Amino acid sequence: MIALLDSDILAYRIGFACEAENVSVAKSRLDKSITDILLDCDHGDFFYDEWKLFLTGSNNFRKEVATTAVYKGNRTAPKPKHLPALRKHMIEEWAAVVADGQEADDAIAIEGTKYGDSCIMVSLDKDFNQIPGWHYNFVKKTHYYVDKAEGDRFFYTQILTGDSADNIIGLHMVGPVKAAKILKDKTTEKEMYDACVEAYGNADRVLENARLLWLRRYDNEIWVPPAG
Protein backbone atom coordinates (compact mmCIF):
# COMPACT_ATOMS: atom_id res chain seq x y z
CA MET A 1 0.00 0.00 0.00
CA ILE A 2 1.16 3.50 -0.76
CA ALA A 3 1.14 6.87 1.03
CA LEU A 4 0.69 9.96 -1.15
CA LEU A 5 2.21 13.07 0.47
CA ASP A 6 1.24 16.68 -0.15
CA SER A 7 4.80 18.00 -0.07
CA ASP A 8 3.96 21.64 -0.79
CA ILE A 9 2.64 21.98 2.74
CA LEU A 10 5.75 20.34 4.20
CA ALA A 11 8.09 22.64 2.28
CA TYR A 12 6.27 25.76 3.48
CA ARG A 13 5.86 24.63 7.10
CA ILE A 14 9.49 23.62 7.50
CA GLY A 15 10.66 26.63 5.54
CA PHE A 16 8.85 29.10 7.79
CA ALA A 17 9.88 27.22 10.94
CA CYS A 18 13.55 27.37 9.87
CA GLU A 19 13.63 30.94 8.63
CA ALA A 20 16.38 31.81 11.14
CA GLU A 21 18.32 28.57 10.56
CA ASN A 22 20.77 27.62 7.84
CA VAL A 23 19.63 25.49 4.95
CA SER A 24 21.25 22.28 6.22
CA VAL A 25 19.16 22.48 9.40
CA ALA A 26 16.02 23.04 7.31
CA LYS A 27 16.79 19.99 5.15
CA SER A 28 17.44 17.85 8.22
CA ARG A 29 14.14 18.88 9.80
CA LEU A 30 12.33 18.21 6.55
CA ASP A 31 13.79 14.70 6.35
CA LYS A 32 12.75 13.99 9.93
CA SER A 33 9.24 15.31 9.32
CA ILE A 34 8.78 13.14 6.24
CA THR A 35 10.11 10.06 8.02
CA ASP A 36 7.90 10.64 11.07
CA ILE A 37 4.81 11.12 8.90
CA LEU A 38 5.48 7.94 6.94
CA LEU A 39 5.90 5.97 10.16
CA ASP A 40 2.62 7.37 11.52
CA CYS A 41 0.54 6.61 8.40
CA ASP A 42 -0.17 3.02 9.40
CA HIS A 43 -3.52 2.40 11.10
CA GLY A 44 -5.49 -0.69 12.01
CA ASP A 45 -4.74 -3.38 9.46
CA PHE A 46 -3.42 -0.86 6.93
CA PHE A 47 0.35 -0.70 6.46
CA TYR A 48 2.00 1.61 3.92
CA ASP A 49 5.34 0.32 2.67
CA GLU A 50 5.57 2.64 -0.35
CA TRP A 51 5.31 6.39 -0.69
CA LYS A 52 5.29 9.14 -3.26
CA LEU A 53 5.80 12.86 -2.74
CA PHE A 54 4.16 15.55 -4.87
CA LEU A 55 5.01 19.21 -5.51
CA THR A 56 3.12 21.84 -7.50
CA GLY A 57 4.87 22.93 -10.68
CA SER A 58 4.25 25.87 -13.00
CA ASN A 59 1.42 26.90 -15.35
CA ASN A 60 -1.52 25.95 -13.13
CA PHE A 61 -4.57 25.69 -15.43
CA ARG A 62 -6.77 27.35 -12.80
CA LYS A 63 -5.22 30.74 -13.51
CA GLU A 64 -6.94 30.66 -16.90
CA VAL A 65 -10.25 29.45 -15.44
CA ALA A 66 -10.56 32.21 -12.83
CA THR A 67 -12.40 35.30 -14.10
CA THR A 68 -14.28 36.55 -11.03
CA ALA A 69 -11.08 36.99 -9.01
CA VAL A 70 -7.42 36.17 -9.55
CA TYR A 71 -6.78 32.61 -8.42
CA LYS A 72 -4.73 32.79 -5.18
CA GLY A 73 -4.41 36.52 -5.84
CA ASN A 74 -4.66 37.19 -2.11
CA ARG A 75 -1.36 35.44 -1.37
CA THR A 76 1.05 38.34 -1.18
CA ALA A 77 3.18 37.36 1.83
CA PRO A 78 6.87 36.53 1.20
CA LYS A 79 7.72 32.86 0.73
CA PRO A 80 10.22 31.08 3.01
CA LYS A 81 13.79 31.81 1.96
CA HIS A 82 14.71 28.10 1.99
CA LEU A 83 11.70 27.05 -0.11
CA PRO A 84 13.63 26.52 -3.40
CA ALA A 85 16.31 24.50 -1.62
CA LEU A 86 13.74 22.35 0.19
CA ARG A 87 11.86 21.66 -3.02
CA LYS A 88 15.10 20.71 -4.77
CA HIS A 89 16.02 18.45 -1.84
CA MET A 90 12.71 16.57 -2.04
CA ILE A 91 13.08 16.12 -5.79
CA GLU A 92 16.65 14.85 -5.55
CA GLU A 93 16.52 12.86 -2.31
CA TRP A 94 12.89 11.76 -2.11
CA ALA A 95 12.06 11.50 -5.84
CA ALA A 96 9.22 14.02 -5.44
CA VAL A 97 7.02 14.36 -8.53
CA VAL A 98 6.52 17.91 -9.83
CA ALA A 99 2.99 18.42 -11.15
CA ASP A 100 3.30 20.92 -14.01
CA GLY A 101 0.13 22.47 -15.41
CA GLN A 102 -1.80 21.62 -12.25
CA GLU A 103 -1.32 21.38 -8.50
CA ALA A 104 0.18 18.67 -6.35
CA ASP A 105 -3.36 18.21 -5.02
CA ASP A 106 -4.55 17.20 -8.51
CA ALA A 107 -1.72 14.71 -8.94
CA ILE A 108 -2.47 13.16 -5.55
CA ALA A 109 -6.20 12.99 -6.32
CA ILE A 110 -5.47 11.26 -9.64
CA GLU A 111 -3.23 8.71 -7.93
CA GLY A 112 -5.69 8.35 -5.06
CA THR A 113 -8.49 7.59 -7.51
CA LYS A 114 -6.31 5.03 -9.25
CA TYR A 115 -5.21 3.25 -6.06
CA GLY A 116 -8.51 3.53 -4.19
CA ASP A 117 -8.41 2.04 -0.70
CA SER A 118 -4.87 0.76 -1.30
CA CYS A 119 -3.50 4.24 -0.58
CA ILE A 120 -3.72 7.01 1.96
CA MET A 121 -3.66 10.73 1.08
CA VAL A 122 -1.54 12.74 3.48
CA SER A 123 -2.21 16.46 3.82
CA LEU A 124 -3.65 19.25 5.96
CA ASP A 125 -5.62 20.67 3.06
CA LYS A 126 -9.39 20.41 3.53
CA ASP A 127 -9.86 20.28 -0.27
CA PHE A 128 -8.96 16.59 -0.15
CA ASN A 129 -12.24 15.92 1.65
CA GLN A 130 -13.87 15.72 -1.79
CA ILE A 131 -11.76 12.66 -2.67
CA PRO A 132 -13.09 9.23 -1.62
CA GLY A 133 -10.61 7.11 0.28
CA TRP A 134 -8.33 7.10 3.31
CA HIS A 135 -6.84 10.36 4.58
CA TYR A 136 -4.26 11.29 7.21
CA ASN A 137 -3.89 14.66 8.92
CA PHE A 138 -0.29 14.62 10.14
CA VAL A 139 -0.73 17.51 12.60
CA LYS A 140 -3.85 16.17 14.32
CA LYS A 141 -2.53 12.62 13.76
CA THR A 142 -5.98 11.49 12.66
CA HIS A 143 -6.90 8.91 10.04
CA TYR A 144 -10.34 9.13 8.46
CA TYR A 145 -12.29 7.79 5.52
CA VAL A 146 -14.33 9.77 2.99
CA ASP A 147 -16.98 7.97 0.94
CA LYS A 148 -18.28 9.21 -2.42
CA ALA A 149 -21.46 10.76 -1.03
CA GLU A 150 -19.49 12.69 1.60
CA GLY A 151 -16.97 13.83 -1.01
CA ASP A 152 -19.67 15.07 -3.38
CA ARG A 153 -21.47 17.00 -0.65
CA PHE A 154 -18.23 18.64 0.48
CA PHE A 155 -17.47 19.69 -3.11
CA TYR A 156 -20.88 21.30 -3.69
CA THR A 157 -20.68 22.96 -0.28
CA GLN A 158 -17.40 24.55 -1.36
CA ILE A 159 -19.00 25.77 -4.59
CA LEU A 160 -21.46 27.71 -2.46
CA THR A 161 -19.04 28.96 0.21
CA GLY A 162 -16.02 29.55 -2.00
CA ASP A 163 -12.51 29.19 -0.58
CA SER A 164 -10.93 32.31 0.88
CA ALA A 165 -7.53 30.61 1.08
CA ASP A 166 -7.42 30.41 -2.73
CA ASN A 167 -9.35 33.63 -3.41
CA ILE A 168 -12.35 31.73 -4.78
CA ILE A 169 -15.45 33.85 -4.23
CA GLY A 170 -18.58 32.16 -2.93
CA LEU A 171 -22.10 33.41 -2.33
CA HIS A 172 -22.32 36.49 -0.11
CA MET A 173 -22.84 35.58 3.56
CA VAL A 174 -23.02 31.85 2.82
CA GLY A 175 -20.93 29.64 5.07
CA PRO A 176 -21.12 25.90 5.77
CA VAL A 177 -24.36 26.18 7.77
CA LYS A 178 -26.28 28.07 5.08
CA ALA A 179 -24.77 25.85 2.40
CA ALA A 180 -26.04 22.79 4.27
CA LYS A 181 -29.55 24.27 4.23
CA ILE A 182 -29.34 24.91 0.47
CA LEU A 183 -28.23 21.32 -0.13
CA LYS A 184 -30.60 19.76 2.40
CA ASP A 185 -32.50 16.74 1.05
CA LYS A 186 -30.45 16.84 -2.17
CA THR A 187 -29.09 13.34 -2.65
CA THR A 188 -27.73 13.21 -6.21
CA GLU A 189 -24.99 15.27 -7.85
CA LYS A 190 -27.54 16.68 -10.32
CA GLU A 191 -29.81 17.82 -7.50
CA MET A 192 -26.89 19.48 -5.68
CA TYR A 193 -25.68 21.13 -8.87
CA ASP A 194 -29.17 22.46 -9.65
CA ALA A 195 -29.45 23.81 -6.11
CA CYS A 196 -26.15 25.67 -6.55
CA VAL A 197 -27.27 27.17 -9.87
CA GLU A 198 -30.55 28.29 -8.31
CA ALA A 199 -28.73 29.84 -5.35
CA TYR A 200 -26.33 31.78 -7.58
CA GLY A 201 -28.89 32.53 -10.26
CA ASN A 202 -26.00 32.06 -12.65
CA ALA A 203 -24.72 28.77 -14.06
CA ASP A 204 -21.47 30.42 -15.20
CA ARG A 205 -20.44 31.25 -11.64
CA VAL A 206 -21.14 27.72 -10.54
CA LEU A 207 -19.08 26.36 -13.42
CA GLU A 208 -16.16 28.66 -12.63
CA ASN A 209 -16.09 27.75 -8.94
CA ALA A 210 -16.50 24.06 -9.67
CA ARG A 211 -13.58 24.02 -12.10
CA LEU A 212 -11.39 25.92 -9.65
CA LEU A 213 -12.27 23.68 -6.70
CA TRP A 214 -12.45 20.26 -8.36
CA LEU A 215 -9.42 18.05 -7.87
CA ARG A 216 -8.75 16.04 -10.99
CA ARG A 217 -9.46 12.31 -11.06
CA TYR A 218 -7.63 11.68 -14.33
CA ASP A 219 -5.02 13.50 -16.43
CA ASN A 220 -6.09 16.81 -18.00
CA GLU A 221 -9.64 16.52 -16.65
CA ILE A 222 -11.83 19.64 -16.76
CA TRP A 223 -14.96 19.42 -14.62
CA VAL A 224 -18.34 19.33 -16.38
CA PRO A 225 -21.81 19.53 -14.81
CA PRO A 226 -23.48 16.22 -13.98
CA ALA A 227 -25.90 14.82 -16.53
CA GLY A 228 -29.59 14.68 -15.72
Side-chain angles (χ1 to χ4, degrees):
M1 303 179 77
I2 187 167
L4 310 173
L5 275 68
D6 178 358
S7 302
D8 287 335
I9 286 179
L10 287 173
Y12 274 90
R13 286 176 63 88
I14 298 298
F16 281 125
C18 295
E19 197 73 2
E21 308 287 352
N22 64 49
V23 70
S24 62
V25 170
K27 290 178 182 178
S28 177
R29 289 188 183 175
L30 176 63
D31 287 339
K32 184 178 187 308
S33 292
I34 294 171
T35 301
D36 288 347
I37 288 168
L38 292 174
L39 289 173
D40 288 340
C41 278
D42 296 344
H43 59 105
D45 294 328
F46 294 87
F47 301 96
Y48 302 94
D49 54 359
E50 296 181 73
W51 61 84
K52 189 180 288 189
L53 280 61
F54 297 86
L55 292 164
T56 296
S58 57
N59 303 316
N60 187 342
F61 75 93
R62 290 177 177 84
K63 293 180 179 179
E64 300 299 322
V65 172
T67 58
T68 301
V70 177
Y71 183 65
K72 296 188 177 180
N74 54 343
R75 299 192 182 186
T76 58
K79 296 179 179 181
K81 67 180 181 182
H82 295 316
L83 182 62
L86 294 176
R87 285 174 57 90
K88 185 172 185 289
H89 180 72
M90 285 191 281
I91 293 167
E92 294 179 349
E93 301 299 327
W94 290 91
V97 175
V98 178
D100 285 320
Q102 59 185 1
E103 297 183 5
D105 296 7
D106 294 298
I108 293 170
I110 291 168
E111 291 288 289
T113 300
K114 180 175 72 174
Y115 283 108
D117 289 354
S118 294
C119 76
I120 191 165
M121 291 164 272
V122 182
S123 182
L124 307 179
D125 192 336
K126 66 184 184 304
D127 295 347
F128 280 103
N129 290 337
Q130 67 178 260
I131 306 296
W134 283 106
H135 299 260
Y136 178 57
N137 181 311
F138 60 85
V139 169
K140 295 180 179 179
K141 296 186 181 299
T142 54
H143 303 80
Y144 62 96
Y145 190 85
V146 174
D147 64 30
K148 186 180 185 305
E150 291 169 333
D152 289 343
R153 188 164 296 275
F154 179 85
F155 172 64
Y156 284 97
T157 297
Q158 274 199 306
I159 290 175
L160 293 167
T161 63
D163 187 345
S164 59
D166 290 339
N167 207 34
I168 300 172
I169 311 301
L171 279 170
H172 182 61
M173 298 295 288
V174 172
V177 174
K178 286 188 178 179
K181 291 180 180 178
I182 293 170
L183 298 176
K184 185 180 179 181
D185 299 326
K186 308 298 187 292
T187 58
T188 69
E189 284 193 72
K190 184 63 166 61
E191 288 175 346
M192 289 188 280
Y193 169 75
D194 288 343
C196 290
V197 172
E198 182 178 353
Y200 273 98
N202 186 334
D204 290 341
R205 286 284 286 108
V206 174
L207 185 65
E208 179 186 354
N209 274 15
R211 288 180 170 174
L212 292 171
L213 291 161
W214 181 256
L215 298 184
R216 288 172 160 173
R217 313 303 159 89
Y218 57 84
D219 291 337
N220 301 314
E221 180 187 18
I222 298 295
W223 186 87
V224 296

